[in-house]
Amino acid sequence: MALAYDGAIQRLIDAFSSLPGIGPKGAQRIAFYVLGAPDEEAQRLVESITEVKQKVRFCDVCGNVCETSPCAICADPRRDRGTICVVEEPKDVMSIERTREYRGLYHVLGGAINPMANVGPNDLNIAQLLNRLQTDEVKEIIVALNPNIEGEATTTYLSRLLTPLDVKVTRLASGLPVGGDLEYADEITLSRALEGRREV
Ligand SMILES: [Zn+2]
């Protein structure tokens, strides 16, 4: 059995190591940093976690994170209401916003189809997307999912679902690093993929 600290410090290490991207050593380093930090700094950390859990919610329209629904993008009259860019996660909205090329709206699925993790179409925010298509404002759906197996499976599923409807369905051009996440693509690559999007 691995050696463990007693009580609270070990519980903090365990809490940090359960976070994505933090291994046991990193968790130990952060826990000891917190232990040695001034009380106010540790308190700020606690408060920001509490605040995010209390205030942040998901936009009723697009599923993006926000503090008031509809979110700032959905509520912005300058955005092009004829285009919806479908992404997996809120962080992907940020990746596409950073390109400064896209002026349409978004729809956040909340993941991708992944049979290995028991995630099917019904677990994703797809019904809400279909609802949004009830208005004749939407002319184009850009499917911008991660260039990996789950993203591909979901893109195929969505294009079958959406193509019979009276809307143009496009996807990002290839050229994104395969197997990765949109967030790892630099702005220029993502910008080009968006610009070179093709109909499915
Ligand atoms: Zn929204």
Side-chain angles (χ1 to χ4, degrees):
M1 202 183 96
L3 285 173
Y5 294 94
D6 270 339
I9 189 76
Q10 188 61 44
R11 282 196 293 279
L12 189 59
I13 294 172
D14 293 343
F16 285 132
S17 48
S18 69
L19 301 177
I22 301 182
K25 283 192 178 153
Q28 179 171 297
R29 197 161 61 239
I30 302 169
F32 277 98
Y33 174 81
V34 170
L35 185 65
D39 286 355
E40 311 83 72
E41 191 179 340
Q43 197 53 41
R44 272 201 300 277
L45 179 66
V46 172
E47 278 161 16
S48 36
I49 292 174
T50 311
E51 199 183 12
V52 88
K53 294 303 288 177
Q54 283 170 349
K55 286 192 182 164
V56 180
R57 48 173 300 186
F58 296 98
C59 173
D60 295 322
V61 180
C62 72
N64 195 12
V65 285
C66 59
E67 293 192 10
T68 47
S69 178
C71 70
I73 294 177
C74 286
D76 186 346
R78 291 164 302 179
R79 308 285 308 207
D80 163 24
R81 306 206 155 253
T83 315
I84 295 179
C85 180
V86 179
V87 296
E88 291 182 27
E89 305 287 350
K91 62 185 164 63
D92 302 325
V93 170
M94 201 45 77
S95 299
I96 292 180
E97 284 296 282
R98 280 198 200 103
T99 67
R100 298 178 186 282
E101 291 285 329
Y102 181 67
R103 297 302 304 157
L105 302 174
Y106 291 93
H107 195 81
V108 181
L109 293 178
I113 294 170
N114 184 353
M116 302 290 279
N118 275 324
V119 181
N122 293 338
D123 302 307
L124 304 174
N125 196 12
I126 292 175
Q128 186 62 29
L129 175 64
L130 296 176
N131 274 345
R132 294 178 75 183
L133 299 180
Q134 302 294 321
T135 72
D136 52 11
E137 263 185 316
V138 183
K139 303 276 183 282
E140 181 181 358
I141 302 274
I142 305 171
V143 185
L145 307 182
N146 289 334
N148 55 27
I149 294 170
E150 293 78 25
E152 274 308 309
T154 314
T155 300
T156 307
Y157 179 85
L158 284 179
S159 51
R160 280 191 196 136
L161 195 68
L162 299 171
T163 310
L165 308 176
D166 187 24
V167 64
K168 183 176 168 189
V169 184
T170 57
R171 59 175 300 169
L172 295 181
S174 48
L176 293 168
V178 174
D181 279 5
L182 279 195
E183 64 173 319
Y184 301 130
D186 63 274
E187 279 117 66
I188 295 166
T189 310
L190 197 48
S191 226
R192 283 191 189 134
L194 201 55
E195 210 175 313
R197 65 186 184 269
R198 54 197 158 78
E199 220 161 324
V200 293

